[in-house]
């Protein structure tokens, strides 16, 4: 992001740099619009896969496939730079970066709502918060992979193990499910 300017953008586009300001107002506004548009296209490309997910492990597989595609396309590097810029003085990039992340978490939340409906886990889980946690985990794993590929792979495997645990819970018989719901409610009740 540090090397991006109206001049470099115009040169890459084969256009006059004044058009950047005419159409977008600033380089940051152009970067924000590009981030949101690119994310919208990627989310749309995966929408059918999200809609077809029938288990948490399938959701994680879609996440893995998405992760590797985003890595291969260079989108992970762009996301890392946008996140870094949003943390620094480039606060104008925070809103469009957050909007782009919300597009992904919206898809994840819809899948989790569907998959966890009726599950004892849904009784205590904040599904919107869980969707954001999953999204944040994948962003972290994407960034982590740049410095520790084996560690990132182990993190994905650990998420897969948690999905298996939830599936096992959901396959319990009615008596065990009621007992588990009771235990979960007691554990989730704030102690005063």
């Amino acid at each position: 992001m540090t090397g991006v300017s109206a001049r470099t953008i115009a040169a890459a586009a084969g256009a006059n740099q004044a058009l950047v300001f005419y159409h977008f107002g600033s380089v940051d506004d152009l970067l924000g619009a590009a981030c949101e548009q690119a994310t919208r296209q990627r989310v749309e490309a995966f929408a059918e896969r999200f809609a077809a997910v029938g288990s948490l492990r399938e959701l994680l597989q879609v996440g893995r496939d998405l992760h590797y595609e985003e890595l291969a396309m260079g989108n992970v590097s762009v996301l890392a730079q946008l996140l870094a810029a949003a943390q620094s003085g480039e606060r104008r990039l925070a809103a469009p970066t957050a909007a782009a992340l919300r597009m992904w978490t919206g898809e994840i939340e819809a899948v989790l709502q569907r998959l966890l409906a009726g599950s004892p886990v849904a009784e205590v889980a904040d599904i919107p918060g869980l969707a954001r946690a999953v999204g944040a985990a994948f962003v972290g794993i994407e960034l982590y992979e740049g410095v520790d590929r084996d560690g990132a792979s182990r993190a994905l495997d650990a998420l897969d193990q948690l999905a298996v645990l939830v599936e096992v819970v959901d396959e319990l018989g009615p008596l065990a499910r009621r007992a588990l719901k009771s235990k979960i409610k007691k554990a989730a009740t704030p102690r005063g």
Side-chain angles (χ1 to χ4, degrees), residues 69-136:
E69 280 189 32
E70 293 294 291
L71 199 59
M73 294 175 73
N75 293 343
V76 172
S77 295
V78 173
L79 176 61
Q81 291 178 38
L82 285 167
L83 289 168
Q87 299 298 315
S88 68
E90 308 286 333
R91 296 297 301 164
R92 290 179 291 199
L93 292 174
T97 303
L101 291 173
R102 280 192 300 273
M103 288 182 219
W104 287 116
T105 58
E107 290 291 324
I108 295 166
E109 183 177 341
V111 173
L112 290 175
Q113 291 282 6
R114 184 169 40 82
L115 293 179
L116 296 177
S119 168
V121 174
E123 302 239 351
V124 294
D126 167 14
I127 303 293
L130 183 58
R132 282 154 184 78
V134 169

Side-chain angles (χ1 to χ4, degrees), residues 124 183-192:
V124 294
K183 287 270 192 194
I184 289 172
K185 283 182 183 179
K186 284 180 186 175
T189 303
R191 297 180 184 175

Side-chain angles (χ1 to χ4, degrees), residues 1-83:
M1 293 296 142
T2 57
V4 175
S5 68
R7 177 174 284 135
T8 61
I9 292 169
N16 184 316
Q17 74 181 25
L19 292 175
V20 170
F21 300 104
Y22 177 77
H23 288 287
F24 296 97
S26 73
V27 171
D28 283 348
D29 290 340
L30 177 130
L31 291 172
C35 173
E36 289 187 55
Q37 177 60 25
T39 302
R40 189 172 290 105
Q41 289 174 345
R42 296 299 295 146
V43 169
E44 288 170 2
F46 271 80
E48 286 183 27
R49 295 225 20 225
F50 278 118
V53 166
S55 71
L56 290 176
R57 285 192 285 176
E58 286 178 26
L59 176 59
L60 288 171
Q61 186 57 54
V62 170
R64 282 179 190 257
D65 294 346
L66 174 64
H67 167 73
Y68 294 119
E69 280 189 32
E70 293 294 291
L71 199 59
M73 294 175 73
N75 293 343
V76 172
S77 295
V78 173
L79 176 61
Q81 291 178 38
L82 285 167
L83 289 168

Side-chain angles (χ1 to χ4, degrees), residues 129-150:
L130 183 58
R132 282 154 184 78
V134 169
F138 269 88
V139 169
I141 289 168
E142 287 175 347
L143 299 175
Y144 198 85
E145 183 156 3
V147 295
D148 183 359
R149 183 165 292 206
D150 290 337

